[in-house]
Amino acid sequence: MMTNSDRLAFLETLFTPLVSDTMDRLGITGYVFDHTIQSILPDPHLRVAGFAFPCRVVPTTEYVEIHKLLEMVDAIPSDSIVLVSSDADIDAALWGGLMSTRAKSLGARAAIVGGGVRDIAQISALGFPVFGIYRCVKDIRRRGYMAEYDIVVEIGGVRVRPGDIIFADANGVVCIPSEHSDVIFDALRTNLRGEERTAADLLLGKKAVDVFGEYGTF
């Protein structure tokens, strides 16, 4: 039986397309984030997995101080991926450099936001993975406020609950729902072996149609 740490480490040897394909074959669909959510900094080798720590931003035109946001940042658990959803786009940054600094100090693995990100240079210097839809200079005040955290949210078209496993790489983001995690990880181990054998045989010059017929993977 894989421990939680084992699962995260194993995922970080994979790629999101393999996870997505595996879940499709199992009939577990609707857990791939919209393609608009991508790594803010390009890195073809980026792979990060963690446990979902979701929070929710609400749009406003009033000035709301960031006390709840600061409370959320201080509550981030180790080995988590912070997910910042917004009820609607607020044309402002939902994540930035100081939030990344605090999250990293608490042992978080990444942040994924359904909107804007700023402080790109600071985030790059930290080496803290951040995914979002766009880069944005604007502050959240008078545009939105942190309403709640450690709750169920919808982000990137996916319903995510606290503790679900999130895996993100240069291709995109996928959620592994906790109630299906055992069967998904069992299937991933099998499918990984098929993928590795397929790649090895293709490098040896075998035909794609023959390799697919043998391993059922391509």
Side-chain angles (χ1 to χ4, degrees), residues 80-200:
S80 65
I81 290 183
V82 185
L83 297 140
V84 186
S85 71
S86 182
D87 288 5
D89 182 44
I90 64 170
D91 188 27
L94 302 178
W95 193 267
L98 294 178
M99 297 172 76
S100 297
T101 302
R102 179 60 173 149
K104 182 173 182 177
S105 77
L106 292 169
R109 291 171 170 254
I112 298 171
V113 305
V117 178
R118 67 179 187 175
D119 303 326
I120 305 304
Q122 294 93 320
I123 291 170
S124 175
L126 281 170
F128 185 75
V130 178
F131 293 71
I133 298 177
Y134 54 86
R135 301 177 181 188
C136 186
V137 172
K138 297 176 187 175
D139 183 50
I140 194 173
R141 296 173 181 89
R142 296 195 187 281
R143 299 178 178 93
Y145 65 92
M146 180 65 61
E148 52 187 345
Y149 59 89
D150 203 21
I151 40 85
V152 179
V153 302
E154 183 170 313
I155 178 172
V158 176
R159 185 175 181 269
V160 181
R161 296 167 304 175
D164 286 343
I165 295 177
I166 305 297
F167 178 43
D169 66 6
N171 300 289
V173 184
V174 62
C175 172
I176 297 177
S178 54
E179 71 270 24
H180 297 301
S181 61
D182 288 344
V183 67
I184 290 170
F185 276 95
D186 285 344
L188 280 172
R189 285 193 292 268
T190 299
N191 292 344
L192 176 61
R193 287 192 291 271
E195 183 113 342
E196 290 172 339
R197 291 167 182 163
T198 297

Side-chain angles (χ1 to χ4, degrees), residues 49-73:
F51 298 100
F53 180 68
C55 57
R56 172 174 166 252
V57 167
V58 174
T60 186
T61 57
E62 298 179 4
Y63 186 96
V64 179
E65 195 47 271
I66 59 170
H67 301 307
K68 191 73 172 181
L69 184 149
L70 299 174
E71 180 183 296
M72 180 279 292
V73 171

